[in-house]
Amino acid sequence: MTPNQTGALLMMGSMAAFTFNDTLVKMVGADLPLSQILVIRGGLATVLIFLLARYLGSLHLNLPPRDWMLVLGRCLSEAGATFLFLSALMRMPLANVTAVLQMLPLTVTLGAALFFRESIGWRRMAAILAGFVGMLLIVRPGPAGFDSASLYALGAVGCVTARDLFTRKMSAAVPSMTVTLMASLTVFCFGLVYSTQQDWQPIEAWHLGMLLGAACFIFGGYLFSVMTMRVGDVAVVSPFRYSGLLWALLLGWLVFGDWPSGLTLIGAVIVVAAGLFTLYRERQQAGA
């Protein structure tokens, strides 16, 4: 296979792994509090990521102070995103919350324009506006459709956007696996603190098996995403990130019996189309 074909497969594998993780977490979330899930899954995932970082020789903590501040901001954003996303996941169908997260290429582009003064042009601005229309079709604000779950999902988008903006400002000297390990450790510590506010429930063998599986899928998602960045053209590989929505539709239907409404599907198509157009324009601008 060509490097781009390999990168595309790795990207799809990463998205599949993250979606399978979400599915397992949603399943055990009916019985266990969120803090318990964060601690058990987070602890297992952190150990696996640490072992991988040591194996790759990419665990370097001697970073400039500026980069450490950016890593700290990214870790706090990751913790907030994890809490908000999983809170939404417990209350919304899997495909719906995943569809809202497809706004990320658009919100990151908008954030870069607002905070970093990057030029985006009227075409990408129009795509961003179209994406927000699609997002409104998914969450449907109003007495019947807009609730706390939608607010959690939108908050998760904001936190992940901040996370990605922090990442963009890091120097090339910061290893990806070091950042990933720090983020996983921060989420684990957040779960420990949050557990003081919740009563843990007795855990059964199948709960532990599900959380072990979720940790393995999280680990696989991070591993594939790191491998993706090492092969192929990022501009070619990035659109395959949207394959996660297809997995969410399939698993949401098979496991939970959920299928999005027509308006939600239309909104998801608009968001994906707007995101693909934005990626296309960024590729054109990079080649100009």
Side-chain angles (χ1 to χ4, degrees), residues 34 102 108 152 172 189 207:
L34 180 56
Q102 305 311 305
V108 170
Y152 281 127
C189 293
H207 291 136

Side-chain angles (χ1 to χ4, degrees), residues 1 18 50 81 128 139 204-205 221 260 283:
M1 291 189 296
F18 285 130
F50 172 76
I128 291 170
V139 300
E204 300 179 11
R283 183 183 180 188

Side-chain angles (χ1 to χ4, degrees), residues 60-273:
H60 305 300
L61 302 180
N62 187 21
L63 304 176
R66 177 181 179 276
D67 280 328
W68 268 122
M69 292 301 297
L70 293 171
V71 170
L72 176 61
R74 188 191 187 282
C75 288
L76 294 177
S77 300
E78 183 80 54
T82 301
F83 169 75
L84 293 168
F85 175 78
L86 294 183
S87 296
L89 184 65
M90 302 305 176
R91 297 166 171 82
M92 293 176 68
L94 177 62
N96 290 44
V97 68
T98 303
V100 175
L101 264 290
Q102 305 311 305
M103 286 288 300
L104 286 173
L106 304 174
T107 56
V108 170
T109 299
L110 181 60
L114 293 176
F115 297 107
F116 303 151
R117 304 300 183 186
E118 294 184 10
S119 176
I120 58 175
W122 69 268
R123 293 181 181 86
R124 279 189 286 176
M125 181 58 72
I128 291 170
L129 293 176
F132 276 101
V133 171
M135 178 270 294
L136 292 176
L137 291 177
I138 297 170
V139 300
R140 289 192 295 280
F146 198 74
D147 53 17
S148 61
S150 299
L151 291 176
Y152 281 127
L154 295 177
V157 171
C159 285
V160 178
T161 301
R163 180 200 70 185
D164 289 352
L165 291 176
F166 279 121
T167 304
R168 288 178 67 158
K169 300 303 289 183
M170 291 179 191
S171 69
V174 183
S176 298
M177 289 307 302
T178 298
V179 176
T180 300
L181 177 62
M182 292 296 104
S184 182
L185 185 60
T186 302
V187 172
F188 170 71
C189 293
F190 172 82
L192 286 176
V193 174
Y194 187 36
S195 65
T196 62
Q197 307 299 315
Q198 293 185 320
D199 295 326
W200 282 26
Q201 300 301 314
I203 187 168
E204 300 179 11
W206 77 271
H207 291 136
L208 188 58
M210 290 285 187
L211 291 175
L212 177 59
C216 289
F217 279 123
I218 278 283
F219 170 73
Y222 283 133
L223 175 60
F224 290 149
S225 63
V226 169
M227 294 171 66
T228 297
M229 295 300 103
R230 296 184 174 182
V231 296
D233 183 354
V234 174
V236 174
V237 171
S238 293
F240 289 91
R241 185 182 303 274
Y242 289 108
S243 63
L245 182 56
L246 299 179
W247 281 109
L249 286 168
L250 178 62
L251 291 173
W253 175 58
L254 290 177
V255 179
F256 305 108
D258 294 328
W259 188 256
S261 66
L263 278 178
T264 298
L265 289 174
I266 292 172
V269 169
I270 294 174
V271 169
V272 170

Side-chain angles (χ1 to χ4, degrees), residues 40-53:
I40 297 174
R41 186 198 68 169
L44 293 169
T46 299
V47 170
L48 291 173
I49 294 169
F50 172 76
L51 293 175
L52 175 63

Side-chain angles (χ1 to χ4, degrees), residues 13-28:
S14 175
M15 293 301 101
F18 285 130
T19 310
F20 273 93
N21 158 76
D22 296 339
T23 302
L24 294 178
V25 168
K26 187 174 177 65
M27 291 174 68
V28 298

